[in-house]
Amino acid sequence: DAKTTQPNSMESNEEEPVHLPCNHSTISGTDYIHWYRQLPSQGPEYVIHGLTSNVNNRMASLAIAEDRKSSTLILHRATLRDAAVYYCILRDGGEYGNKLVFGAGTILRVKS
Amino acid sequence: DTEVTQTPKHLVMGMTNKKSLKCEQHMGHRAMYWYKQKAKKPPELMFVYSYEKLSINESVPSRFSPECPNSSLLNLHLHALQPEDSALYLCASSQDMVGGLMREQFFGPGTRLTVL
């Protein structure tokens, strides 16, 4: 499985944008970039995913570098409820595409 | 209904006990998963079921025995566990992978297992 590298932790102020980086230099052409987050005492929840183009949904935006070796999850206005561990995951688009391999993730702390 | 439910929420068992974890979803998903999460670590995939058939076993010890009796239910039978098996056990489900389309996984809240 291709690996991802994320900062261990980040801190943000409430109501400000947050940019969570992820490096995936060994990404293959069929790998999708997925982001999940895990709030305290809960199971992970899906945030967003993309292949090549930038993506937006109601939760966040995903900016993907042109060479696909890195991506950034953008929370436009962080709230206290966004404090969580954010996981950047590469999902194989082939036979084992339903397999999620979690890395260490980034702990996001949001200050009021 | 976009919920995955897991029972029990907490479970304490001895090393000689036999117990089962239960997971249920009513979203019509045909892929279901078991993950194990140790404290302050990311979830680790254990098993994947696709259309009620085991498709991935990540070399999990035989003291963990999964079962998918129908498309809505997933069980994890536990027998002769060790204290190091204490962890949060997460269940997830997703639509199937036909056509190579990516499908988000929906996770339950987990069962907190303690093995004494």
Side-chain angles (χ1 to χ4, degrees):
Chain A
D1 300 305
K3 295 280 189 276
T4 62
T5 304
Q6 299 177 253
N8 289 337
S9 64
M10 292 184 65
E11 202 166 78
S12 169
N13 293 317
E14 204 175 6
E15 304 293 322
E16 291 185 358
V18 182
H19 291 235
L20 296 162
C22 181
N23 287 320
H24 28 78
S25 58
T26 59
I27 192 170
S28 74
T30 57
D31 283 339
Y32 285 73
I33 302 159
H34 281 244
W35 284 81
Y36 280 73
R37 72 179 185 180
Q38 188 170 19
L39 279 65
S41 302
Q42 294 188 29
E45 66 172 341
Y46 167 83
V47 177
I48 200 167
H49 79 275
L51 183 62
T52 55
S53 305
N54 295 344
V55 184
N56 300 298
N57 66 20
R58 64 174 178 81
M59 286 182 73
S61 295
L62 177 59
I64 302 173
E66 201 167 327
D67 63 4
R68 300 207 330 123
K69 293 184 186 301
S70 66
S71 60
T72 302
L73 178 71
I74 303 165
L75 307 179
H76 295 286
R77 286 178 65 211
T79 70
L80 296 177
R81 290 179 300 172
D82 291 320
V85 181
Y86 285 79
Y87 297 102
C88 170
I89 302 166
L90 298 183
R91 281 186 69 174
D92 187 349
E95 182 180 356
Y96 297 106
N98 57 355
K99 183 174 168 177
L100 276 181
V101 179
F102 287 80
T106 296
I107 299 170
L108 175 65
R109 299 183 178 89
V110 180
K111 297 185 297 183
S112 59
Chain B
D1 181 6
T2 58
E3 194 180 16
V4 175
T5 59
Q6 290 188 245
T7 54
K9 284 188 168 51
H10 301 275
L11 178 63
V12 179
M13 61 186 289
M15 289 190 285
T16 58
N17 292 158
K18 280 186 183 182
K19 296 286 184 184
S20 296
L21 309 185
K22 180 180 169 182
C23 172
E24 196 164 1
Q25 57 87 15
H26 296 287
M27 294 177 277
H29 291 169
R30 303 309 296 271
M32 296 186 76
Y33 315 78
W34 280 115
Y35 291 83
K36 173 181 177 179
Q37 185 173 27
K38 302 282 277 183
K40 297 192 186 305
K41 296 290 187 184
E44 295 178 355
L45 182 66
M46 300 174 72
F47 303 104
V48 180
Y49 272 82
S50 180
Y51 289 87
E52 293 98 70
K53 291 193 188 321
L54 184 65
S55 62
I56 296 177
N57 176 343
E58 292 287 276
S59 303
V60 178
S62 60
R63 57 186 184 269
F64 295 91
S65 175
E67 178 198 20
C68 190
N70 61 56
S71 59
S72 301
L73 278 177
L74 186 66
N75 298 320
L76 186 62
H77 303 297
L78 313 172
H79 174 55
L81 294 193
Q82 304 296 310
E84 58 263 31
D85 296 321
S86 298
L88 181 69
Y89 287 84
L90 293 159
C91 173
S93 71
S94 71
Q95 294 184 32
D96 62 78
M97 277 293 299
V98 173
L101 293 176
M102 295 296 103
R103 304 293 189 182
E104 65 181 280
Q105 291 187 16
F106 291 81
F107 284 79
T111 293
R112 177 78 57 191
L113 174 68
T114 303
V115 182
L116 301 175

